[in-house]
Amino acid sequence: MKAHVLTLFPELVKQPMEHSIVGRALSRGQLTVDVLDIRSFATNKHAKVDDSPYGGGPGMVMTPQPLVDAIEATRALCQKPWVIAFSPAGRLLDQARVRQLVAESVTDGRECIFVCGRYEGIDERVLDGWCDEIMSIGDYVLSGGELAALVVIDAMARLVPGVLGNAASPDEESLEQGLLEYPQYSRPESFRGHPVPEVLLSGDHARIASWRRARALARTRERRPDLFARLTLSAADKKLLES
Ligand code: SAM
């Protein structure tokens, strides 16, 4: 999988990617991420990348020239570019979209170009004319798109075949099947008077599977009624929930 990040703060993106799963995927060549400094594309004397908003209002807006030149230069390096700009006013990212992005990257060779905003955001003409998708990572406002880029790259990297040690593990995780994951426990069997649920020590795989399904359904109903409302429950699921 290959991706590009356009940012005013390259180190904010590069350093966190040096560690753990993403760092390993990068060093193994399973993932390539080019990070470009938008400011290096500014053609004005002081490499200025922002200006005050037309119509008045607080803060500064990222001006089109450096951004568009950075996007066009990056697009020219890709066979199948897909430009994603980050904004809290974008479409909300979810696990299904992450999966699609990975499939498009891994099977179709699509290269995502992530555009990180700063200040009060990006001149709308850049979003309208040079970006294929406007993406939000949640209903809150960050200071910049760099954390959003890291979130998407991390979520995508773990779905790239071979990146996670245990290839089966992503399918069981929260949200993969429209459900939250069941609770997990490890050693010791009892910690400060809190025991591990007895069923997990039973060695009875059928009982464990049905306990996990019941816990996943129950916690989805309790914590994420929006997800629960979209589930199609089988008769067995309904029985599990009742029990
Ligand atoms: N004035 C903008 C608004 O109200 O929509 C917010 C700008 S925000 C302070 C600066 C940049 O951070 C944005 O251009 C975007 O790239 C990034 N950003 C902030 N919140 C985000 C979110 N929830 N998802 C994705 N990117 C976000």
Side-chain angles (χ1 to χ4, degrees):
M1 182 183 112
K2 188 160 186 194
H4 309 259
V5 182
L6 309 184
T7 167
L8 289 172
F9 296 94
E11 289 310 311
L12 263 184
V13 179
K14 282 184 195 166
Q15 287 200 359
M17 289 196 305
E18 286 170 10
H19 307 276
S20 189
I21 288 170
V22 172
R24 224 173 29 237
L26 285 170
S27 63
R28 286 183 189 153
Q30 292 162 318
L31 177 67
T32 307
V33 183
D34 293 331
V35 183
L36 278 111
D37 188 348
I38 295 165
R39 196 177 295 281
S40 69
F41 291 86
T43 51
N44 62 79
K45 198 167 149 203
H46 298 292
K48 199 168 147 54
V49 292
D50 60 325
D51 214 325
S52 48
Y54 278 120
M60 303 294 264
V61 174
M62 289 177 78
T63 52
Q65 179 276 314
L67 274 167
V68 166
D69 282 3
I71 292 170
E72 287 179 340
T74 311
R75 283 183 72 99
L77 300 173
C78 309
Q79 298 239 315
K80 293 186 182 173
W82 185 254
V83 182
I84 298 176
F86 291 113
S87 165
R91 181 171 297 170
L92 210 52
L93 179 69
D94 61 13
Q95 188 67 10
R97 183 69 190 121
V98 173
R99 240 181 212 291
Q100 270 175 0
L101 286 170
V102 174
E104 287 156 1
S105 300
V106 173
T107 21
D108 298 345
R110 202 184 240 189
E111 295 179 35
C112 289
I113 301 172
F114 297 113
V115 183
C116 304
R118 277 271 154 184
Y119 317 121
E120 283 309 312
I122 296 171
D123 187 304
E124 196 68 20
R125 291 166 293 184
V126 179
L127 303 177
D128 289 344
W130 283 267
C131 298
D132 300 302
E133 179 173 348
I134 316 296
M135 181 185 284
S136 166
I137 62 155
D139 288 337
Y140 38 76
V141 180
L142 302 164
S143 313
E146 291 74 17
L147 286 173
L150 289 167
V151 164
V152 183
I153 289 167
D154 186 296
M156 287 177 75
R158 47 191 298 111
L159 299 182
V160 172
V163 165
L164 289 186
N166 174 3
S169 58
D171 300 332
E172 294 261 307
E173 282 181 321
S174 286
L175 308 170
E176 278 297 342
Q177 336 235 339
L179 270 183
L180 302 185
E181 195 185 53
Y182 49 79
Q184 300 267 24
Y185 299 85
S186 187
R187 281 179 222 289
E189 266 183 46
S190 178
F191 179 70
R192 297 192 183 176
H194 299 274
V196 168
E198 170 278 325
V199 59
L200 299 179
L201 310 175
S202 68
D204 181 338
H205 296 299
R207 255 184 85 213
I208 292 171
S210 91
W211 180 87
R212 284 180 166 166
R213 179 83 187 162
R215 295 313 308 151
L217 288 165
R219 71 160 36 163
T220 306
R221 182 172 61 182
E222 182 191 323
R223 297 179 187 172
R224 292 292 304 272
D226 56 319
L227 290 181
F228 189 76
R230 277 184 254 145
L231 287 174
T232 314
L233 298 179
S234 65
D237 283 341
K238 286 181 189 155
K239 222 166 136 196
L240 275 177
L241 271 170
E242 278 164 24
S243 70

